[in-house]
Amino acid sequence: LPPKAINLVTGAGSSVGNAIVDHPNVAVISFTGSTEIGSKINARAGAQLKRVSLELGGKNAQIVMDDADMELALEGVLWGAFGTTGQRCTATSRLILHRKIHDKFVEKLIERAKKIRIGNGLDPKMQMGPLVSQAQRENVKRYVDIGLEEDKAELVLGGNELTKGAYAYGWFFEPTIFVNVKPKMRIAQEEIFGPVLAVLRAKDLDDAITILNDTKYGLSSSIYTRDVNAAFKAMRDIEAGITYINGPTIGAEVQLPFGGVKGTGNGHREASHTVLDIFTEWKSIYVDYSGRLQRAQIDIQAG
């Protein structure tokens, strides 16, 4: 790329962030972060008629119906919830299980999650690395404590910091699973951004979709089922910018528009050709090649 095509400026949002948002020569703001900060940026930049693209919080859920391929669904939630230590906006933070398969699925999930190899992310043998900072690990631990205090939520796996031996060289945390979670609990509503999974029970497909939609966010979603009618109903009724059928919530196919609805974004989409809409201006151009006006003027002069 030519010099100055890309410029990287580091610093706190209160200094560098505000300066970028307010600068008259910065025409477009693309922000990835919390819904609260995104809302403030949108208002501040909107007062200057700047274009703003927001990719904000998520509380992504995977539905598993009673007719699903259980092994496939199990693999999906394991890496959706604990891949990248849950530190991605599309991470599977909620698991909604049909009541008929709930207990058996949870049993298998715990068994498999216990075997996840945790360690240095640069070691190809490891399956889960550390959290990004001490502050983030403290935040994850705080949400575990909140889950333990909430009515009838049961911690069935993890919940602890890993600090001894090799774990002293990073901010490690155990894969963590809560069951008996109710839709309105904070661990089912608020983004944690760590390896914490809330498991909820659904009576049927309608109930599962209602539970999935019952958050302020709407980024990624997933359903595992062999019923094509259930799949199409989920495509239609789930309130999310992305819906996967028989795949985890964490995919990021660059050929498809990426973004969310409700508190997750303001309608713009990253990736695919749609990303050009936020970073370019349309200009309509009309060229008249007929020359009729010119000929008419010549005829009048000749007359």
Side-chain angles (χ1 to χ4, degrees):
L1 292 173
K4 299 184 180 180
I6 293 179
N7 298 283
L8 178 64
V9 183
T10 60
S14 58
S15 54
V16 172
N18 286 338
I20 290 173
V21 171
D22 293 338
H23 200 288
N25 290 338
V26 177
V28 179
I29 305 295
S30 177
F31 173 76
T32 300
S34 72
T35 301
E36 291 73 22
I37 299 300
S39 178
K40 292 177 181 178
I41 289 174
N42 198 37
R44 192 163 181 162
Q48 306 169 66
L49 299 181
K50 290 187 178 184
R51 195 177 299 182
V52 181
S53 176
L54 301 173
E55 205 280 281
L56 308 175
K59 194 66 179 175
N60 315 292
Q62 173 179 315
I63 295 171
V64 183
M65 297 302 294
D66 57 329
D67 66 339
D69 180 330
M70 296 302 156
E71 190 60 32
L72 186 67
L74 185 62
E75 196 74 16
V77 72
L78 277 168
W79 305 120
F82 305 123
T84 62
T85 323
Q87 298 173 111
R88 60 193 303 168
C89 53
T90 56
T92 305
S93 189
R94 295 178 295 152
L95 174 63
I96 303 169
L97 298 174
H98 192 285
R99 60 184 177 182
K100 291 182 180 178
I101 52 98
H102 178 279
D103 294 350
K104 187 175 182 179
F105 194 95
V106 168
E107 181 183 337
K108 289 186 176 182
L109 177 61
I110 293 171
E111 180 185 342
R112 291 282 296 276
K114 284 180 178 178
K115 297 177 182 178
I116 292 175
R117 296 187 296 274
I118 306 169
N120 187 335
L122 298 177
D123 184 346
K125 295 179 182 179
M126 296 299 111
Q127 296 171 314
M128 195 177 100
L131 289 159
V132 69
S133 67
Q134 181 179 3
Q136 183 56 21
R137 186 167 71 176
E138 290 172 353
N139 185 60
V140 171
K141 180 61 176 173
R142 181 174 66 87
Y143 270 105
V144 170
D145 294 339
I146 288 170
L148 290 170
E149 293 169 2
E150 292 193 289
D151 185 35
K152 295 182 179 179
E154 180 184 354
L155 179 65
V156 292
L157 183 68
N160 300 304
E161 302 170 352
L162 297 171
T163 59
K164 296 180 180 179
Y167 296 133
Y169 303 97
W171 312 111
F172 293 93
F173 203 90
E174 294 177 322
T176 300
I177 300 173
F178 280 94
V179 298
N180 296 329
V181 178
K182 301 298 184 290
K184 293 300 184 183
M185 290 181 177
R186 289 184 64 185
I187 57 171
Q189 290 287 328
E190 299 177 17
E191 188 173 39
I192 300 173
F193 227 68
V196 180
L197 179 67
V199 182
L200 301 96
R201 190 188 304 258
K203 296 179 292 184
D204 52 27
L205 178 61
D206 287 337
D207 189 37
I209 293 174
T210 297
I211 293 170
L212 187 150
N213 289 339
D214 190 20
T215 72
K216 67 179 180 180
Y217 302 113
L219 179 54
S220 190
S221 61
S222 166
I223 181 170
Y224 284 76
T225 180
R226 289 187 174 98
D227 184 342
V228 67
N229 292 315
F232 272 84
K233 181 178 177 62
M235 293 177 204
R236 183 191 68 192
D237 294 345
I238 286 176
E239 296 169 356
I242 306 166
T243 297
Y244 292 91
I245 309 300
N246 294 323
T249 64
I250 57 172
E253 289 73 17
V254 296
Q255 73 273 23
L256 296 177
F258 181 92
V261 300
K262 300 194 291 188
T264 294
N266 61 344
H268 293 290
R269 293 291 185 268
E270 300 174 359
S272 185
H273 64 90
T274 53
V275 73
L276 299 176
D277 283 341
I278 186 66
F279 291 108
T280 57
E281 290 282 4
W282 285 97
K283 185 173 185 178
S284 298
I285 299 173
Y286 178 81
V287 179
D288 187 336
Y289 288 104
S290 69
R292 291 174 182 171
L293 179 59
Q294 183 180 5
R295 285 199 301 272
Q297 291 174 338
I298 292 173
D299 290 344
I300 291 170
Q301 291 171 356

